[in-house]
Amino acid sequence: MSADTRTLRTAAFIGLGVMGSPMAGHLAAAGLDVRVYNRTRARAEQWCERYGGSHHATPSEAAQGADIVLMCVGNDDDVRSVTLGTDGVLAGMSAGSLLVDHTTASADLARELAVAAREQSVGFVDAPVSGGQQGAINGVLTIMCGGDQADYDRAAPVLTHYGRMVKRIGETGAGQTTKMVNQICIAGLVQALSEGLHFAEQAGLDRDAVIEVISKGAAGSWQMDNRHATMIKNEYEHGFAVDWMRKDLGICLAEARRIDATLPVTALVDQFYADVQKMDGGRWDTSSLLKRLDT
């Protein structure tokens, strides 16, 4: 799509969950006119009471008059439901506007949406995020992007309102594929940390002391720094839920089959998360892999 140098002053944000709500809030705080839609209307009303802006009955209505529309919903089907059809955002967007999808979804969906957007002369960027709810609240998310350079260049100044690292990786779908790499790496790290803490306890070691030492060496990681304490306390209400991680790992494994990549550890950890779900832990955070070992 050709470059459009119009200033992006009006934004629509679709999906006001634990991630979308603070992300949209940062846009309002930055002075953008923000129009919102959420499937649960009460949440949209509460958002407007806190941040201002306006809430709308359908995604299409929210998108009308917006220079940029941003989405953060659940999965591929959710994205399609708020993007396509008579009530979808594309029905309300004007030529030259820009659509950004923050949902962690499939690369195939990103390419599908890019085609649909292009047919209406709308730009598209797939831009999944990492950093969790706290990262969204603090405005320090990592945002990995795919799409035309011109579309990315227009979107990036808006994304920096809640992104500490915003980078275009490649063409459409590259953002989603990079998010898959992110989730693959997290799965292995959390399982390794869980096994390490389990082993330390069985060996009679002071686990806090162990982590204090090894976190300063080659074993250190974000997961270790931010999750070991709650894991030791058997607290699993801090961050990304197991149900969502299984959704993401399913996307990773499907893409791996398509491109003939081998992910044995990821496949194994996915099954470990299935075990956690059987323990009624679907809403526990992803560090609950330790609870599976300690049960």
Side-chain angles (χ1 to χ4, degrees):
M1 172 169 184
S2 61
D4 188 321
T5 58
R6 291 184 303 173
T7 301
L8 305 179
R9 295 187 177 90
T10 302
F13 207 102
I14 311 301
L16 300 174
V18 297
M19 299 292 290
S21 180
M23 291 162 72
H26 286 296
L27 298 182
L32 277 76
D33 177 13
V34 183
R35 304 163 59 86
V36 299
Y37 167 82
N38 192 71
R39 185 166 50 188
T40 304
R41 184 183 179 90
R43 181 168 290 181
E45 293 171 347
Q46 291 167 3
W47 187 92
C48 289
E49 288 174 5
R50 179 174 179 180
Y51 296 106
S54 58
H55 61 85
H56 300 270
T58 66
S60 175
E61 289 182 17
Q64 290 175 14
D67 302 311
I68 183 170
V69 176
L70 308 109
M71 308 182 294
C72 190
V73 294
N75 55 36
D76 283 28
D77 290 340
D78 293 329
V79 174
R80 289 189 180 94
S81 72
V82 299
T83 307
L84 308 174
T86 56
D87 288 334
V89 293
L90 284 175
M93 296 179 72
S94 59
S97 58
L98 188 59
L99 176 62
V100 176
D101 186 18
H102 287 307
T103 310
T104 296
S106 68
D108 282 345
L109 176 64
R111 290 184 279 268
E112 174 187 333
L113 294 184
V115 170
R118 193 175 300 115
E119 289 175 350
Q120 295 184 207
S121 298
V122 169
F124 176 77
V125 178
D126 57 291
V129 303
S130 180
Q133 182 178 358
Q134 204 59 44
I137 291 170
N138 294 332
V140 293
L141 293 170
T142 293
I143 308 177
M144 45 217 89
C145 301
D148 292 346
Q149 184 70 55
D151 291 335
Y152 169 78
D153 289 344
R154 293 180 63 215
V158 175
L159 306 188
T160 56
H161 292 308
Y162 44 77
R164 176 171 56 186
M165 164 57 76
V166 182
K167 185 174 180 63
R168 177 182 180 267
I169 307 299
E171 297 301 323
T172 300
Q176 294 295 355
T177 309
T178 302
K179 180 60 183 289
M180 295 175 205
V181 176
N182 187 80
Q183 301 306 76
I184 290 165
C185 293
I186 289 174
L189 286 170
V190 177
Q191 177 61 21
L193 177 58
S194 298
E195 292 184 15
L197 290 173
H198 174 71
F199 179 88
E201 183 178 39
Q202 294 301 107
L205 300 175
D206 180 331
R207 293 187 288 180
D208 286 309
V210 169
I211 294 298
E212 183 181 2
V213 173
I214 70 171
S215 65
K216 301 304 184 290
S221 69
W222 186 97
Q223 297 293 335
M224 183 176 289
D225 290 343
N226 291 274
R227 290 290 176 261
H228 82 272
T230 52
M231 293 168 75
I232 290 172
K233 293 176 183 177
N234 196 34
E235 296 175 354
Y236 300 110
E237 306 300 327
H238 305 274
F240 198 59
V242 167
D243 285 343
W244 291 115
M245 187 60 157
R246 284 218 73 204
K247 183 266 291 185
D248 289 0
L249 294 182
I251 293 171
C252 296
L253 294 168
E255 184 70 7
R257 288 189 292 270
R258 190 184 74 83
I259 64 175
D260 197 26
T262 304
L263 303 178
V265 174
T266 304
L268 186 61
V269 176
D270 179 57
Q271 290 307 301
F272 291 162
Y273 278 126
D275 292 341
V276 174
Q277 287 177 318
K278 292 175 184 176
M279 299 165 61
D280 293 325
R283 300 306 301 170
W284 296 342
D285 71 61
T286 53
S287 68
S288 56
L289 286 171
L290 177 58
K291 192 171 183 69
R292 173 184 171 275
L293 296 174
D294 288 342
T295 300

PDB file of all heavy atoms in Angstrom, residues 177-192:
ATOM      1  N   THR A 177       4.694 -14.688  13.590  1.00  0.00           N
ATOM      2  CA  THR A 177       5.680 -15.767  13.634  1.00  0.00           C
ATOM      3  C   THR A 177       6.730 -15.494  14.704  1.00  0.00           C
ATOM      4  O   THR A 177       7.178 -16.412  15.403  1.00  0.00           O
ATOM      5  CB  THR A 177       6.341 -15.945  12.260  1.00  0.00           C
ATOM      6  OG1 THR A 177       5.331 -16.052  11.250  1.00  0.00           O
ATOM      7  CG2 THR A 177       7.189 -17.205  12.223  1.00  0.00           C
ATOM      8  N   THR A 178       7.113 -14.233  14.866  1.00  0.00           N
ATOM      9  CA  THR A 178       8.062 -13.876  15.919  1.00  0.00           C
ATOM     10  C   THR A 178       7.456 -14.115  17.295  1.00  0.00           C
ATOM     11  O   THR A 178       8.143 -14.576  18.220  1.00  0.00           O
ATOM     12  CB  THR A 178       8.495 -12.408  15.773  1.00  0.00           C
ATOM     13  OG1 THR A 178       9.079 -12.216  14.484  1.00  0.00           O
ATOM     14  CG2 THR A 178       9.500 -12.019  16.843  1.00  0.00           C
ATOM     15  N   LYS A 179       6.173 -13.830  17.459  1.00  0.00           N
ATOM     16  CA  LYS A 179       5.509 -14.109  18.742  1.00  0.00           C
ATOM     17  C   LYS A 179       5.526 -15.606  19.037  1.00  0.00           C
ATOM     18  O   LYS A 179       5.653 -16.026  20.194  1.00  0.00           O
ATOM     19  CB  LYS A 179       4.076 -13.572  18.727  1.00  0.00           C
ATOM     20  CG  LYS A 179       3.300 -13.807  20.033  1.00  0.00           C
ATOM     21  CD  LYS A 179       3.961 -13.143  21.236  1.00  0.00           C
ATOM     22  CE  LYS A 179       3.218 -13.437  22.539  1.00  0.00           C
ATOM     23  NZ  LYS A 179       1.918 -12.767  22.652  1.00  0.00           N
ATOM     24  N   MET A 180       5.445 -16.432  17.986  1.00  0.00           N
ATOM     25  CA  MET A 180       5.552 -17.876  18.195  1.00  0.00           C
ATOM     26  C   MET A 180       6.912 -18.239  18.769  1.00  0.00           C
ATOM     27  O   MET A 180       7.018 -19.056  19.692  1.00  0.00           O
ATOM     28  CB  MET A 180       5.308 -18.611  16.873  1.00  0.00           C
ATOM     29  CG  MET A 180       3.908 -18.459  16.313  1.00  0.00           C
ATOM     30  SD  MET A 180       3.737 -19.236  14.682  1.00  0.00           S
ATOM     31  CE  MET A 180       2.383 -18.281  13.990  1.00  0.00           C
ATOM     32  N   VAL A 181       7.968 -17.628  18.229  1.00  0.00           N
ATOM     33  CA  VAL A 181       9.312 -17.862  18.765  1.00  0.00           C
ATOM     34  C   VAL A 181       9.350 -17.477  20.242  1.00  0.00           C
ATOM     35  O   VAL A 181       9.911 -18.189  21.083  1.00  0.00           O
ATOM     36  CB  VAL A 181      10.364 -17.069  17.965  1.00  0.00           C
ATOM     37  CG1 VAL A 181      11.747 -17.233  18.589  1.00  0.00           C
ATOM     38  CG2 VAL A 181      10.387 -17.500  16.503  1.00  0.00           C
ATOM     39  N   ASN A 182       8.746 -16.352  20.566  1.00  0.00           N
ATOM     40  CA  ASN A 182       8.687 -15.876  21.947  1.00  0.00           C
ATOM     41  C   ASN A 182       8.046 -16.914  22.861  1.00  0.00           C
ATOM     42  O   ASN A 182       8.567 -17.243  23.936  1.00  0.00           O
ATOM     43  CB  ASN A 182       7.892 -14.564  21.982  1.00  0.00           C
ATOM     44  CG  ASN A 182       7.895 -13.888  23.336  1.00  0.00           C
ATOM     45  OD1 ASN A 182       8.863 -13.222  23.702  1.00  0.00           O
ATOM     46  ND2 ASN A 182       6.816 -14.027  24.078  1.00  0.00           N
ATOM     47  N   GLN A 183       6.896 -17.453  22.445  1.00  0.00           N
ATOM     48  CA  GLN A 183       6.172 -18.405  23.283  1.00  0.00           C
ATOM     49  C   GLN A 183       6.918 -19.740  23.384  1.00  0.00           C
ATOM     50  O   GLN A 183       6.893 -20.395  24.435  1.00  0.00           O
ATOM     51  CB  GLN A 183       4.756 -18.625  22.744  1.00  0.00           C
ATOM     52  CG  GLN A 183       3.909 -17.359  22.659  1.00  0.00           C
ATOM     53  CD  GLN A 183       3.814 -16.590  23.958  1.00  0.00           C
ATOM     54  OE1 GLN A 183       4.755 -15.905  24.350  1.00  0.00           O
ATOM     55  NE2 GLN A 183       2.690 -16.728  24.631  1.00  0.00           N
ATOM     56  N   ILE A 184       7.563 -20.150  22.301  1.00  0.00           N
ATOM     57  CA  ILE A 184       8.373 -21.374  22.325  1.00  0.00           C
ATOM     58  C   ILE A 184       9.472 -21.246  23.378  1.00  0.00           C
ATOM     59  O   ILE A 184       9.706 -22.152  24.187  1.00  0.00           O
ATOM     60  CB  ILE A 184       8.975 -21.650  20.940  1.00  0.00           C
ATOM     61  CG1 ILE A 184       7.876 -22.069  19.956  1.00  0.00           C
ATOM     62  CG2 ILE A 184      10.066 -22.722  21.003  1.00  0.00           C
ATOM     63  CD1 ILE A 184       8.297 -22.011  18.494  1.00  0.00           C
ATOM     64  N   CYS A 185      10.146 -20.106  23.396  1.00  0.00           N
ATOM     65  CA  CYS A 185      11.228 -19.888  24.353  1.00  0.00           C
ATOM     66  C   CYS A 185      10.709 -19.834  25.787  1.00  0.00           C
ATOM     67  O   CYS A 185      11.323 -20.396  26.704  1.00  0.00           O
ATOM     68  CB  CYS A 185      11.970 -18.601  24.014  1.00  0.00           C
ATOM     69  SG  CYS A 185      12.888 -18.654  22.459  1.00  0.00           S
ATOM     70  N   ILE A 186       9.580 -19.167  25.999  1.00  0.00           N
ATOM     71  CA  ILE A 186       9.017 -19.076  27.345  1.00  0.00           C
ATOM     72  C   ILE A 186       8.649 -20.451  27.872  1.00  0.00           C
ATOM     73  O   ILE A 186       8.926 -20.787  29.037  1.00  0.00           O
ATOM     74  CB  ILE A 186       7.788 -18.151  27.342  1.00  0.00           C
ATOM     75  CG1 ILE A 186       8.225 -16.693  27.156  1.00  0.00           C
ATOM     76  CG2 ILE A 186       6.992 -18.308  28.639  1.00  0.00           C
ATOM     77  CD1 ILE A 186       7.071 -15.727  26.992  1.00  0.00           C
ATOM     78  N   ALA A 187       8.033 -21.278  27.027  1.00  0.00           N
ATOM     79  CA  ALA A 187       7.590 -22.605  27.480  1.00  0.00           C
ATOM     80  C   ALA A 187       8.756 -23.408  28.037  1.00  0.00           C
ATOM     81  O   ALA A 187       8.667 -24.005  29.121  1.00  0.00           O
ATOM     82  CB  ALA A 187       6.925 -23.350  26.323  1.00  0.00           C
ATOM     83  N   GLY A 188       9.864 -23.435  27.311  1.00  0.00           N
ATOM     84  CA  GLY A 188      11.018 -24.187  27.762  1.00  0.00           C
ATOM     85  C   GLY A 188      11.615 -23.615  29.028  1.00  0.00           C
ATOM     86  O   GLY A 188      12.015 -24.362  29.945  1.00  0.00           O
ATOM     87  N   LEU A 189      11.675 -22.277  29.135  1.00  0.00           N
ATOM     88  CA  LEU A 189      12.252 -21.638  30.314  1.00  0.00           C
ATOM     89  C   LEU A 189      11.432 -21.915  31.566  1.00  0.00           C
ATOM     90  O   LEU A 189      11.989 -22.201  32.639  1.00  0.00           O
ATOM     91  CB  LEU A 189      12.360 -20.129  30.086  1.00  0.00           C
ATOM     92  CG  LEU A 189      13.456 -19.648  29.137  1.00  0.00           C
ATOM     93  CD1 LEU A 189      13.279 -18.170  28.820  1.00  0.00           C
ATOM     94  CD2 LEU A 189      14.830 -19.882  29.756  1.00  0.00           C
ATOM     95  N   VAL A 190      10.108 -21.818  31.456  1.00  0.00           N
ATOM     96  CA  VAL A 190       9.264 -22.027  32.632  1.00  0.00           C
ATOM     97  C   VAL A 190       9.334 -23.479  33.101  1.00  0.00           C
ATOM     98  O   VAL A 190       9.392 -23.751  34.307  1.00  0.00           O
ATOM     99  CB  VAL A 190       7.804 -21.613  32.350  1.00  0.00           C
ATOM    100  CG1 VAL A 190       6.921 -21.914  33.554  1.00  0.00           C
ATOM    101  CG2 VAL A 190       7.718 -20.141  32.024  1.00  0.00           C
ATOM    102  N   GLN A 191       9.367 -24.415  32.174  1.00  0.00           N
ATOM    103  CA  GLN A 191       9.496 -25.812  32.561  1.00  0.00           C
ATOM    104  C   GLN A 191      10.845 -26.065  33.245  1.00  0.00           C
ATOM    105  O   GLN A 191      10.912 -26.741  34.283  1.00  0.00           O
ATOM    106  CB  GLN A 191       9.345 -26.728  31.353  1.00  0.00           C
ATOM    107  CG  GLN A 191       9.529 -28.213  31.641  1.00  0.00           C
ATOM    108  CD  GLN A 191       8.517 -28.774  32.627  1.00  0.00           C
ATOM    109  OE1 GLN A 191       7.441 -28.192  32.829  1.00  0.00           O
ATOM    110  NE2 GLN A 191       8.832 -29.903  33.252  1.00  0.00           N
ATOM    111  N   ALA A 192      11.917 -25.491  32.705  1.00  0.00           N
ATOM    112  CA  ALA A 192      13.236 -25.666  33.309  1.00  0.00           C
ATOM    113  C   ALA A 192      13.282 -25.064  34.708  1.00  0.00           C
ATOM    114  O   ALA A 192      13.830 -25.669  35.651  1.00  0.00           O
ATOM    115  CB  ALA A 192      14.307 -25.043  32.418  1.00  0.00           C
TER     116      ALA A 192
END
